[in-house]
Amino acid sequence: MQYSRLSHLARAAGRKGLSLPRPTSRRTLATESSKAILDVTPPYTKLVKNLAEVRRVIGSSSGLTLAEKILYSHLDNPAELSGLTSIRGDAYLKLKVDRVAMQDASAQMALLQFMTCGLESTAVPASIHCDHMIVGEKGADTDLPKSIAGNKEVFDFLESAAKKYGIQFWAPGSGIIHQIVLENYAAPGLMMLGTDSHTPNAGGLGAIAIGVGGADAVDALVDAPWELKAPKILGVRLEGQLNGWATPKDVILHLAGKLTVRGGTGYIIEYHGPGVQSLSATGMGTICNMGAEVGATTSLFPYTKSMTDYLAATRRGPVAMAASQINKDHGFLQADEDAKYDEVITINLSELEPHINGPFTPDLSTPLSKFKDAIKENNWPEKLSAGLIGSCTNSSYEDMSRAENLVKQAEAAGLKPKVGFFITPGSEQIRATLERDQTLNVFEQAGGTVLANACGPCIGQWKRTDDVKKGDSNAIFTSYNRNFRSRNDGNPDTMNFLTSPELVTSMIYAGSTTFNPMTDSLTTPSGAPFKFTPPTAPTLPAAGFERGNLSWTPGRVVPHPSTPIAVDPTSSRLALLEPFPPFPAHNLTSVRVLYKVSGKCTTDHISAAGAWLKYKGHLENISNNTLIGAVNAETGETNVAYDLDGSSMGIPELARKWQKEGTTWLVVAETNYGEGSAREHAALQPRYLGGRVVLAKSFARIHETNLKKQGIVPLTFAEETDYDRIKACDEVDTVGLYEMLMNGGKGEVQLKVRPRQGEEFTIPVKHTFSKDQAEYVLAGSALNLLGKKAKGASA
Ligand code: MIC
Ligand code: SF4
């Protein structure tokens, strides 16, 4: 299989100092299409062989879950599991991933880091997707060219890097990363990393797909094993069958309510049971996608007939055949019958109600039947101000066709949407197919605005043209996955209620948040009552998928090492990276508390998106948004920090001031710090401005890893009440930290705190450092370590 050959050669290259180009000549041997299929077929024979070796090494007589099978079959060296008494939740796995996907916003830093490694090509197949930097305002025809012009420098950089290193470049307009991955790259049994937290979307096709920061992606791109603490496995058993208004989205909205935004941390969610057979592949993608909102490492489904159908419909019939065969012969794509889950939750799809989650957090889940009361009790707006469907979670052909069905019902009754209706197709393939099938026409005739195939409003690129002003409390219904304050339109008072595209679509005709399409009627212009019937639509287009604008789609690629990558030293958008200094050869002393955060502190709070997206490739400039969404625990103010003399300023300003004065600093925070996205800027920026430690009640998985990779030490309170004892401007010395790092992550750490008022005290803290992670911090960053190892290898 092509991957394994490449991996093998690249590994050899790694040993010789990371300098061997990818063996391009092999790429010209077979026909283009058969090679293209080979490129996207997981190396099943090798995986099954590796798994057999793992079973031999761990000697376990009990069965394996599907997640374990896929993870363990990707182990670099199965022998590392030998002698371990416990793997799930304890062991660190060193994995060789099959593929990497990067979106435009995060790819910039990932590539800037990759470039410093001096390789001529990526060691595994990789793709770049231009989706986050595209505005949603007037519609695709005007928004797309405007966004391309506005981001030209960045898109040119990404395109030239893609060409140089042999990465597939999906141009602006081609679609949202996760939808494109599902349509082209995801496959049962595949293991991939994506520099975006919703990468688990590919679990809808039975892949293990994990969201990571750019530095983690670099591991895979240079063929270094990627480390993951073996997750526990949460089994979600699905019984029954969805019916009426209940959709796949409701499975995850409901589960988010049960698990909360932290409940999946350290777990892979593995769906199983008879109910899985009734779901479409894209529906399963929706469910896996939003597993990111409960903090799960990833989510996945076993191989189903609907996966075969979807693979065939997306021109990958041979992948389906290979998957079916390997599953038939080895049961590789399903859990063993006697597999044991760490926990099991059962959901009966036949009884599942539609749900609405929000505002401001994706786990505040209310069943539709109780939503009317919730609106009243909480004093949430009764008036709806807009409805938006799309985003990587819900922009499949099926989603859009079911929404179309409802629009047709309403229009036939003479109804018109009462509020703005915005539609984002997930990919050019979906858009072109919807155009051919007249779906887009139906939306537009009804007054809907079809936005570019991109993230648009979901990432904060929504330029509202209605009369809602910043500060106006208002409610929007979206089919998205994330609803943190200010996320979509920059207005902290916009309440985003997450639900299915079907519910969003029915709500726009009511214009009211209290409408329940299952029980309530609307009044037609003639005064007659109108009630929606539950939507129906095909899961896949009867006439197949159209390809649309092929100029946005990459063909097979080979590296062109001579391609220049221009980074203008005067650019405000892109800047080359300088390595961070290594950890001092002693414990940290006099580290000062820059800010004590209260409440939710997501990556959006730490490194806001929206208008800041344009600086994603320029660490100095984007650092001006560091923590600007964080609430000051002592004053309740947002982005107001206090210096020693009592003078107040923005958090980035104080950080820069202290950095100039030679003061290193730490942040103190509450639970699930760094919740949300995979953006490593949330770790890079504090590091760049002189941050050394984050002390929190708990961390979100991706962010905790990102911090370590960039050389910041994440610590948690052993006693949560100690959070109350430590204040802004207090001084902290670490006790045992240096020793723990030198000892490969083993040992206790304490913090000696010198408050501004009162006696010095010492508090115990916890950490989760592996040996490798300790090495990153000591080296200054994971990238520094990689560079050091490469130099060592070539010496
Ligand atoms: C998101 O949905 O929050 C994003 C924007 O896609 C992020 C990625 C980013 O911040 O670059 C994510 O989910 O990781
Ligand atoms: Fe894009 Fe939104 Fe999906 Fe993030 S969640 S990848 S911003 S569509």
Side-chain angles (χ1 to χ4, degrees):
M1 207 82 3
Q2 185 151 16
Y3 292 173
S4 39
R5 283 198 212 112
L6 285 170
S7 300
H8 172 75
L9 284 163
R11 244 196 313 278
R15 285 196 293 270
K16 292 196 186 102
L18 303 168
S19 58
L20 197 80
R22 191 193 285 205
T24 54
S25 59
R26 294 194 188 278
R27 295 182 162 204
T28 51
L29 294 178
T31 65
E32 277 305 299
S33 67
S34 67
K35 284 200 303 177
I37 283 293
L38 265 189
D39 282 351
V40 295
T41 308
Y44 287 130
T45 315
K46 183 181 129 196
L47 295 177
V48 164
K49 212 169 132 222
N50 221 17
L51 185 62
E53 176 60 8
V54 171
R55 286 195 199 260
R56 197 189 61 75
V57 167
I58 60 177
S60 159
S61 53
S62 70
L64 296 176
T65 61
L66 171 61
E68 286 173 295
K69 288 186 190 180
I70 305 181
L71 278 180
Y72 299 168
S73 64
H74 284 87
L75 276 169
D76 186 33
N77 176 13
E80 281 189 5
L81 296 187
S82 165
L84 296 183
T85 46
S86 156
I87 300 175
R88 297 193 322 210
D90 288 313
Y92 280 92
L93 307 177
K94 299 255 171 81
L95 301 158
K96 282 310 193 70
V97 305
D98 300 315
R99 168 171 291 281
V100 172
M102 297 170 274
Q103 40 90 341
D104 50 1
S106 52
Q108 298 169 56
M109 275 299 161
L111 289 169
L112 286 165
Q113 294 178 77
F114 176 73
M115 279 159 57
T116 67
C117 299
L119 270 184
E120 288 197 356
S121 69
T122 63
V124 295
S127 54
I128 296 174
H129 305 264
C130 298
D131 54 357
H132 279 60
M133 314 198 64
I134 294 155
V135 170
E137 184 182 4
K138 300 199 172 104
D141 294 346
T142 39
D143 297 348
L144 189 59
K146 209 170 128 190
S147 302
I148 293 175
N151 294 294
K152 186 171 180 315
E153 183 183 358
V154 170
F155 291 142
D156 285 352
F157 165 74
L158 294 176
E159 189 168 10
S160 56
K163 186 166 174 212
K164 185 178 179 84
Y165 299 115
I167 302 173
Q168 289 196 301
F169 179 75
W170 292 81
S174 59
I176 307 175
I177 176 170
H178 309 304
Q179 189 59 47
I180 295 201
V181 164
L182 203 69
E183 287 172 359
N184 295 276
Y185 303 129
L190 181 90
M191 177 165 184
M192 63 175 286
L193 300 182
T195 57
D196 190 282
S197 67
H198 293 107
T199 303
N201 193 68
L205 267 184
I208 285 228
I210 302 183
V212 295
D216 282 57
V218 170
D219 283 347
L221 293 176
V222 304
D223 208 31
W226 177 71
E227 189 185 67
L228 175 74
K229 185 166 189 186
K232 293 187 174 180
I233 318 289
L234 166 63
V236 175
R237 183 179 160 81
L238 300 181
E239 292 173 353
Q241 195 160 351
L242 292 171
N243 56 65
W245 287 84
T247 67
K249 184 68 165 281
D250 298 302
V251 174
I252 188 64
L253 292 174
H254 166 71
L255 198 61
K258 270 182 168 271
L259 291 174
T260 80
V261 289
R262 288 200 284 153
T265 310
Y267 282 88
I268 290 184
I269 304 180
E270 182 170 317
Y271 293 87
H272 63 282
V276 301
Q277 297 301 334
S278 65
L279 298 171
S280 65
T282 49
M284 294 189 281
T286 297
I287 296 172
C288 291
N289 176 302
M290 216 185 143
E293 271 50 59
V294 298
T297 303
T298 190
S299 304
L300 85 166
F301 277 83
Y303 191 49
T304 62
K305 160 88 173 51
S306 60
M307 293 185 192
T308 309
D309 296 345
Y310 184 77
L311 285 167
T314 49
R315 305 173 193 91
R316 289 172 293 164
V319 177
M321 274 163 64
S324 301
Q325 193 61 46
I326 209 77
N327 200 34
K328 192 161 151 252
D329 295 349
H330 302 276
F332 181 57
L333 302 172
Q334 64 202 35
D336 289 335
E337 268 176 24
D338 54 345
K340 288 198 182 55
Y341 296 101
D342 293 284
E343 277 171 54
V344 176
I345 293 177
T346 301
I347 299 176
N348 186 342
L349 299 177
S350 307
E351 291 167 4
L352 188 68
E353 251 201 84
H355 280 65
I356 299 162
N357 288 22
F360 306 133
T361 184
D363 57 353
L364 181 56
S365 187
T366 313
L368 176 59
S369 59
K370 303 217 166 63
F371 194 68
K372 208 176 278 188
D373 294 340
I375 287 276
K376 300 218 152 83
E377 276 159 26
N378 294 293
N379 223 356
W380 293 331
E382 287 197 27
K383 186 179 167 313
L384 181 68
S385 72
L388 300 96
I389 62 171
S391 97
C392 58
T393 332
N394 270 126
S395 53
S396 65
Y397 177 83
E398 181 184 17
D399 289 329
M400 295 294 164
S401 308
R402 284 170 63 92
E404 175 197 7
N405 177 281
L406 292 165
V407 172
K408 278 183 171 160
Q409 290 183 36
E411 299 287 317
L415 293 168
K416 284 280 160 213
K418 293 225 170 70
V419 296
F421 182 37
F422 299 88
I423 303 104
T424 319
S427 69
E428 170 61 3
Q429 173 163 289
I430 292 171
R431 189 210 60 77
T433 312
L434 294 173
E435 182 174 46
R436 179 199 67 200
D437 295 351
Q438 294 304 309
T439 312
L440 296 186
N441 198 21
V442 169
F443 289 148
E444 279 168 346
Q445 291 295 314
T449 304
V450 178
L451 300 172
N453 314 316
C455 300
C458 182
I459 176 63
Q461 298 267 43
W462 184 25
K463 295 235 169 87
R464 290 184 80 155
T465 45
D466 55 15
D467 54 5
V468 175
K469 302 272 161 320
K470 201 164 179 171
D472 289 354
S473 173
N474 74 106
I476 60 173
F477 265 54
T478 76
S479 72
Y480 303 169
N481 44 23
R482 217 159 248 175
N483 57 356
F484 305 142
R485 251 181 218 283
S486 306
R487 178 165 170 103
N488 307 103
D489 56 0
N491 178 1
D493 298 303
T494 294
M495 300 185 193
N496 176 354
F497 293 96
L498 307 168
T499 190
S500 63
E502 291 87 333
L503 224 51
V504 176
T505 309
S506 67
M507 292 295 195
I508 58 156
Y509 283 95
S512 148
T513 56
T514 57
F515 178 65
N516 178 346
M518 291 176 75
T519 53
D520 301 347
S521 297
L522 298 172
T523 309
T524 65
S526 62
F530 163 79
K531 201 158 165 264
F532 283 105
T533 53
T536 53
T539 51
L540 292 166
F545 279 109
E546 285 291 314
R547 300 200 91 138
N549 182 344
L550 276 175
S551 70
W552 292 337
T553 306
R556 296 193 74 244
V557 291
V558 290
H560 290 84
S562 60
T563 312
I565 301 182
V567 176
D568 178 349
T570 63
S571 167
S572 65
R573 306 285 305 263
L574 292 166
L576 296 174
L577 293 173
E578 290 293 329
F580 294 127
F583 198 84
H586 50 75
N587 269 289
L588 301 173
T589 51
S590 303
V591 188
R592 204 175 281 286
V593 179
L594 175 77
Y595 205 72
K596 178 171 165 181
V597 185
S598 112
K600 216 183 203 4
C601 193
T602 70
T603 49
D604 280 30
H605 296 77
I606 310 170
S607 174
W612 293 94
L613 275 172
K614 58 176 175 296
Y615 298 127
K616 286 276 187 179
H618 199 293
L619 190 51
E620 163 68 16
N621 286 350
I622 199 165
S623 292
N624 289 331
N625 80 359
T626 306
L627 283 158
I628 60 174
V631 175
N632 187 324
E634 282 133 295
T635 66
E637 295 160 301
T638 301
N639 189 27
V640 182
Y642 290 86
D643 200 355
L644 294 178
D645 63 1
S647 58
S648 68
M649 60 197 88
I651 300 172
E653 287 75 44
L654 186 59
R656 283 187 194 278
K657 178 169 182 286
W658 284 6
Q659 191 180 33
K660 249 193 220 138
E661 293 165 3
T663 305
T664 56
W665 49 266
L666 78 154
V667 170
V668 176
E670 299 209 62
T671 52
N672 214 21
Y673 181 82
E675 176 186 337
S677 91
R679 68 187 71 148
E680 65 187 335
H681 296 80
L684 274 164
Q685 294 170 217
R687 175 76 168 105
Y688 179 72
L689 296 179
R692 299 289 345 200
V693 173
V694 178
L695 173 61
K697 291 185 184 171
S698 66
F699 288 93
R701 174 191 65 88
I702 306 179
H703 185 61
E704 186 174 9
T705 310
N706 284 346
L707 287 171
K708 292 172 183 167
K709 287 232 142 168
Q710 301 303 342
I712 293 193
V713 178
L715 298 171
T716 52
F717 291 101
E719 301 291 337
E720 281 199 6
T721 48
D722 284 338
Y723 169 85
D724 302 325
R725 299 173 71 193
I726 185 162
K727 306 238 165 356
C729 288
D730 288 357
E731 252 182 9
V732 172
D733 297 343
T734 62
V735 181
L737 174 64
Y738 181 64
E739 293 75 8
M740 178 276 283
L741 293 171
M742 291 298 285
N743 206 9
K746 294 207 179 72
E748 310 270 303
V749 181
Q750 295 179 322
L751 297 180
K752 204 187 277 173
V753 183
R754 275 186 301 285
R756 295 200 65 205
Q757 275 115 32
E759 295 282 287
E760 176 178 296
F761 59 92
T762 300
I763 57 171
V765 290
K766 294 194 285 189
H767 69 86
T768 56
F769 275 89
S770 69
K771 186 170 168 297
D772 285 11
Q773 292 167 342
E775 285 186 43
Y776 309 149
V777 170
L778 287 171
S781 72
L783 204 60
N784 288 0
L785 186 67
L786 210 60
K788 224 162 102 182
K789 285 193 173 161
K791 272 197 204 114
S794 61

